[in-house]
Amino acid sequence: MNYTMCWLEYRKLPENTISNLKDWFSSVSILESDASALKNEIREFSEKSLDITPRFHSRPLKKKKYIMIGSLDSLPFGIEEDPGEEGFILRTQNWNGSKILVVTGKTKRSLVYAVFDLIRRIRLGEDIEKMNVLEKPKAKFRMLNHWDNLDGSVERGYAGNSIFFKDNRIIVNQRTRDYARLLASIGINGVVINNVNVKKQEVLLIEPVYLKKLKRLADLFREYGIRLYLSINFASPMYLGGLDTADPLDERVARWWREKAREIYDYIPDFGGFLVKADSEFNPGPHMFGRDHAEGANMLARALAPFGGVVIWRAFVYNCLQDWRDYKTDRARAAYDNFKPLDGKFDDNVIVQIKYGPMDFQVREPVNPLFGGLEKTNQILELQITQEYTGQQIHLCFLGTLWKEILEFDTFAKGKGSYVKRIVDGTLFGRENNGFAGVSNVGDSVNWTGHDLAQANLYAFGKLAWNPDEDIEKIVEDWIRLTFGDDRKVLENVSYMLLKSHRTYEKYTTPFGLGWMVNPGHHYGPNPEGYEYSKWGTYHRANWEAIGVDRTSRGTGYTLQYHSPWREIFDDINTCPEDLLLFFHRVRYDHRLKSGKTLIQAMYDLHFEGVEEVEKFIRKWEELKDRVPYDVFERVRERLHTQLEHAKEWRDVINTYFYRRTGIPDEKGRKIYP
Ligand code: GCU
């Protein structure tokens, strides 16, 4: 095997633990037919961690202790609690003269989750004799979006090539299965395998030439409770159907999609549905035909509805041909301006997928005001696991802490307590079809994610999607222990590094909600005016005295898209959270912050601090030599050193930019490099 298994790397457990567990795992009763994924996982774990090969039985046993796995219907006794469609129960109890650990749930998928969770708990040292767990996922949709192209490249991918595609062919192999295992172990239940930008070759994915192989992929995913989804091109009826239009209100177009849906479901009966990037960054959409997003999405949704599919429609819609001299258009307003008027107009099997912020996955943005703005529309929160703007998996940047802040943001849509997490889990507005999507950071590199520690981002995404209330420190701790074992020093140092890393990255790049300042195109490395005079609408408009866009009620009016009290808080430079100051306000460099520092001085200080923190990460990592596997140690060490070099470059380029703009020297007399 030429890749690691991340947090599923089953290492041998200590002897004293093993001796107790052996009894439990030597015979396992599985009351399900077709349980190969469950057996496979239990066997893997038992052989690698317990040094035994379990025997499987299809009936209850006569034995002192054993594990009994089966759906609620199949159990020889009743269980009162309702774990829902995807939840599960793990419980040790006495039955028929035996002590049994019951592993149960309603559906096949829930049993998969149950088995992975049982193994996780055991590896983390929980006592099997006292097991008593009822777990239910909070959100219904817990998806990964791959931006993979059929030629094997990955848009914004920093971990090698696609694991799904190569040379216009679809790959289904052992690695696909192992990927499904990784995803099932963190509760992911849907995967979009191709890029939202659906180009010429990818348009063909919904044609029989590809559907045959996609069926095999879907069959494999199904064993692990994962549904397959595809990104589609809205103009497919023109590309594939020979029609002269893709107008959603044209009956020929609607019929073409209905027939296409039937064809897809003939191959894949549990096909999840379509992800659509429409009228966005040159992708076709209903606007081209004078129709709105609801008309476009509903037409597709009606084609999929008879088969139980959904349409996931992205809200990432803005004018990407803005003139920098145009001060009226504000890209930050675009998602809300486009979608708020359509609230309530989408069919029930349409879900609007909204990026966490109003711009584009910057290191910090305010929460997109569509969260709390939309009340009668299903919603998915889109997060970017791949580190496009956060160091491209060269820099250590754990995103779980940022995501947690987003989830805990109180929108005040229905008064206090209207958290984003309660919107995406569907409870705030009583909606069922809500959830999470994460743009995947996975490729075919040996460690899946390029940077070994970036595996933690994938893990944390799944865990938060399953339960956004979970403590992020606990998620980090579990990930470290599952990945590296129980060394206290490793736990201490790696959690220090992960939990601080996002803030550190923010400090040496673009603090105060400034964002951008990256090199255009590939988005790596500093370039303060890289996007200043281009068409993408991402300006900071710095001059000699001030920087930032006035997005208040006196400016573009963006703050008015929020509920009170946020609109007032953001609107006032004195109450606006300082880490978002330059997102909402145009601020003079000599503006005094709460700390008493001027903005410019704080800007300098943060950049120096950020670099010092990376130096500290390196010291912390060096302490772990011989405590983590040698190859992991070396790979991470190398990346940390590159990070340090690049952090210095960020510090110097950004500080110099401000120094030369303002002529205001650093109070501490440090050298600001040319
Ligand atoms: C960003 C990213 C693109 C991507 C787009 C999207 O702009 O740079 O590569 O296609 O987001 O989310 O659609």
Side-chain angles (χ1 to χ4, degrees):
M1 201 160 94
N2 54 353
Y3 50 88
T4 67
M5 271 315 287
C6 309
W7 55 89
L8 292 184
E9 198 75 67
Y10 297 143
R11 274 176 304 270
K12 192 151 177 239
L13 291 172
E15 277 310 328
N16 52 343
T17 324
I18 291 184
S19 54
N20 176 36
L21 289 170
K22 269 184 177 162
D23 275 355
W24 285 100
F25 279 84
S26 58
S27 310
V28 177
S29 142
I30 302 190
L31 310 177
E32 294 292 304
S33 55
D34 187 17
S36 58
L38 308 180
K39 286 183 187 160
N40 183 40
E41 210 55 39
I42 290 172
R43 192 179 303 115
E44 281 273 319
F45 167 69
S46 307
E47 287 178 352
K48 292 192 173 137
S49 296
L50 309 178
D51 240 351
I52 55 165
T53 302
R55 296 179 59 170
F56 295 108
H57 308 265
S58 52
R59 282 197 205 107
L61 307 175
K62 282 252 164 279
K63 208 181 158 247
K64 238 169 81 195
K65 288 176 174 178
Y66 66 96
I67 298 173
M68 181 191 286
I69 303 176
S71 59
L72 283 168
D73 292 346
S74 70
L75 296 180
F77 46 83
I79 284 206
E80 266 176 31
E81 286 98 329
D82 178 9
E85 286 304 299
E86 296 186 292
F88 57 84
I89 291 165
L90 307 174
R91 179 176 305 153
T92 304
Q93 63 181 58
N94 294 315
W95 178 74
N96 207 15
S98 305
K99 197 169 214 187
I100 54 171
L101 168 61
V102 190
V103 177
T104 188
K106 265 193 193 154
T107 56
K108 277 226 155 70
R109 176 184 290 155
S110 67
L111 293 181
V112 172
Y113 294 153
V115 164
F116 277 109
D117 197 54
L118 172 65
I119 294 173
R120 181 183 69 87
R121 286 173 188 275
I122 289 172
R123 294 179 68 214
L124 291 173
E126 283 187 32
D127 187 351
I128 199 165
E129 310 268 345
K130 301 200 181 104
M131 208 57 83
N132 190 5
V133 173
L134 169 62
E135 269 281 341
K136 292 182 200 180
K138 293 253 159 78
K140 180 165 163 191
F141 288 82
R142 304 179 302 279
M143 319 224 350
L144 283 186
N145 290 182
H146 279 259
W147 286 356
D148 296 18
N149 302 314
L150 264 161
D151 64 5
S153 62
V154 180
E155 182 155 330
R156 314 304 180 190
Y158 313 104
N161 291 321
S162 172
I163 56 167
F164 292 125
F165 307 121
K166 189 179 179 192
D167 302 332
N168 293 336
R169 282 180 295 112
I170 295 165
I171 306 169
V172 184
N173 58 20
Q174 181 59 36
R175 189 159 190 171
T176 327
R177 178 174 295 277
D178 285 332
Y179 189 50
R181 290 173 56 212
L182 285 167
L183 298 191
S185 76
I186 51 173
I188 299 293
N189 62 6
V191 178
V192 185
I193 57 167
N194 67 308
N195 191 354
V196 285
N197 297 310
V198 182
K199 288 172 251 161
K200 221 166 149 197
Q201 190 68 28
E202 289 77 17
V203 173
L204 296 171
L205 273 169
I206 49 176
E207 291 284 84
V209 287
Y210 284 119
L211 286 170
K212 281 191 199 127
K213 194 71 184 269
L214 286 175
K215 173 183 163 41
R216 281 187 51 201
L217 180 58
D219 289 346
L220 190 157
F221 274 177
R222 192 176 305 113
E223 288 183 46
Y224 291 90
I226 298 167
R227 279 177 144 200
L228 175 75
Y229 295 71
L230 292 173
S231 297
I232 54 107
N233 186 309
F234 193 77
S236 296
M238 300 171 75
Y239 290 118
L240 304 176
L243 298 183
D244 56 1
T245 179
D247 179 353
L249 298 195
D250 188 313
E251 176 48 29
R252 290 170 304 154
V253 171
R255 191 183 326 118
W256 187 87
W257 280 111
R258 284 197 299 272
E259 283 162 13
K260 182 50 74 183
R262 175 173 304 283
E263 188 176 27
I264 296 172
Y265 281 91
D266 275 348
Y267 285 92
I268 307 167
D270 62 345
F271 179 66
F274 298 146
L275 174 63
V276 196
K277 173 175 179 177
D279 294 314
S280 166
E281 297 183 335
F282 313 110
N283 289 271
H287 284 181
M288 285 172 59
F289 309 96
R291 311 300 180 191
D292 67 28
H293 289 284
E295 288 166 323
N298 291 344
M299 179 274 295
L300 289 175
R302 285 165 201 168
L304 297 176
F307 310 99
V310 297
V311 168
I312 303 171
W313 193 269
R314 294 177 87 226
F316 185 58
V317 178
Y318 67 100
N319 174 4
C320 63
L321 294 171
Q322 189 177 336
D323 186 318
W324 63 270
R325 282 156 289 232
D326 167 6
Y327 278 72
K328 288 223 171 62
T329 307
D330 179 5
R331 174 164 162 181
R333 293 185 54 122
Y336 188 98
D337 284 345
N338 275 297
F339 284 87
K340 173 71 180 168
L342 300 175
D343 194 16
K345 298 210 170 126
F346 292 98
D347 283 7
D348 220 37
N349 63 329
V350 175
I351 313 172
V352 173
Q353 179 164 309
I354 308 165
K355 289 191 181 185
Y356 95 78
M359 298 299 269
D360 193 12
F361 302 130
Q362 298 306 293
V363 65
R364 190 176 300 277
E365 295 181 30
V367 164
N368 197 319
L370 270 181
F371 292 111
L374 297 179
E375 298 180 7
K376 292 171 278 182
T377 304
N378 303 321
Q379 293 159 61
I380 281 181
L381 166 67
E382 182 176 319
L383 300 169
Q384 200 182 36
I385 314 173
T386 193
Q387 293 170 236
E388 176 177 1
Y389 296 99
T390 49
Q392 305 198 350
Q393 278 126 268
I394 292 170
H395 298 238
L396 172 65
C397 186
F398 175 65
L399 294 163
T401 40
L402 169 71
W403 298 336
K404 189 68 180 165
E405 286 177 42
I406 294 160
L407 291 165
E408 297 295 340
F409 179 75
D410 192 344
T411 65
F412 283 90
K414 287 175 79 180
K416 215 170 159 12
S418 305
Y419 303 109
V420 171
K421 63 183 179 184
R422 294 288 87 89
I423 295 172
V424 294
D425 72 12
T427 52
L428 189 72
F429 297 118
R431 308 204 67 84
E432 207 193 321
N433 287 340
N434 283 19
F436 289 74
V439 181
S440 161
N441 62 348
V442 161
D444 67 358
S445 60
V446 60
N447 54 15
W448 301 83
T449 53
H451 198 308
D452 288 80
L453 302 184
Q455 292 168 4
N457 282 329
L458 182 58
Y459 182 85
F461 171 79
K463 285 294 176 186
L464 287 174
W466 181 276
N467 180 10
D469 289 317
E470 193 167 349
D471 200 39
I472 195 67
E473 279 88 11
K474 171 79 170 101
I475 292 176
V476 164
E477 177 180 332
D478 288 356
W479 176 78
I480 295 169
R481 293 179 57 207
L482 294 169
T483 306
F484 295 117
D486 274 332
D487 186 323
R488 291 294 315 170
K489 189 81 191 157
V490 174
L491 178 59
E492 205 179 287
N493 289 16
V494 178
S495 59
Y496 176 92
M497 293 165 68
L498 290 181
L499 292 170
K500 284 231 181 301
S501 58
H502 171 258
R503 182 79 184 118
T504 297
Y505 185 82
E506 181 181 24
K507 285 181 183 177
Y508 65 73
T509 58
T510 52
F512 301 110
L514 190 51
W516 303 99
M517 291 203 165
V518 287
N519 283 302
H522 59 68
H523 297 165
Y524 189 80
N527 187 341
E529 298 204 327
Y531 272 108
E532 202 50 25
Y533 302 100
S534 69
K535 56 194 177 191
W536 299 96
T538 55
Y539 315 114
H540 55 66
R541 304 198 184 278
N543 66 9
W544 64 274
E545 87 177 327
I547 182 169
V549 174
D550 182 356
R551 295 198 162 100
T552 68
S553 54
R554 301 163 300 282
T556 69
Y558 168 68
T559 50
L560 302 174
Q561 295 183 340
Y562 290 90
H563 293 278
S564 285
W566 284 116
R567 57 164 66 176
E568 293 80 18
I569 293 173
F570 289 144
D571 215 54
D572 181 345
I573 195 170
N574 296 309
T575 53
C576 180
E578 285 185 342
D579 56 8
L580 288 169
L581 196 61
L582 299 180
F583 195 94
F584 285 103
H585 294 272
R586 180 156 184 82
V587 185
R588 287 178 56 98
Y589 299 108
D590 58 4
H591 171 80
R592 290 269 163 206
L593 300 173
K594 295 196 185 75
S595 62
K597 283 184 194 179
T598 59
L599 172 67
I600 185 80
Q601 189 55 41
M603 191 68 93
Y604 293 146
D605 287 352
L606 288 176
H607 280 83
F608 282 103
E609 258 173 62
V611 170
E612 283 157 23
E613 287 172 11
V614 179
E615 283 164 347
K616 188 153 180 196
F617 292 162
I618 293 181
R619 290 199 297 277
K620 293 265 176 203
W621 187 252
E622 293 292 344
E623 286 173 9
L624 305 184
K625 190 160 190 227
D626 302 326
R627 290 174 182 262
V628 296
Y630 178 76
D631 49 342
V632 177
F633 178 78
E634 286 297 324
R635 280 198 298 263
V636 172
R637 170 152 73 176
E638 199 188 312
R639 291 205 181 214
L640 285 170
H641 282 280
T642 311
Q643 179 176 5
L644 178 61
E645 285 321 297
H646 294 180
K648 285 180 184 163
E649 187 194 353
W650 268 101
R651 174 193 68 192
D652 295 342
V653 170
I654 302 295
N655 280 351
T656 303
Y657 177 74
F658 284 115
Y659 181 38
R660 292 187 60 171
R661 276 269 170 201
T662 63
I664 304 172
D666 172 33
E667 278 170 8
K668 298 181 184 152
R670 287 163 296 199
K671 184 165 177 191
I672 307 281
Y673 286 83

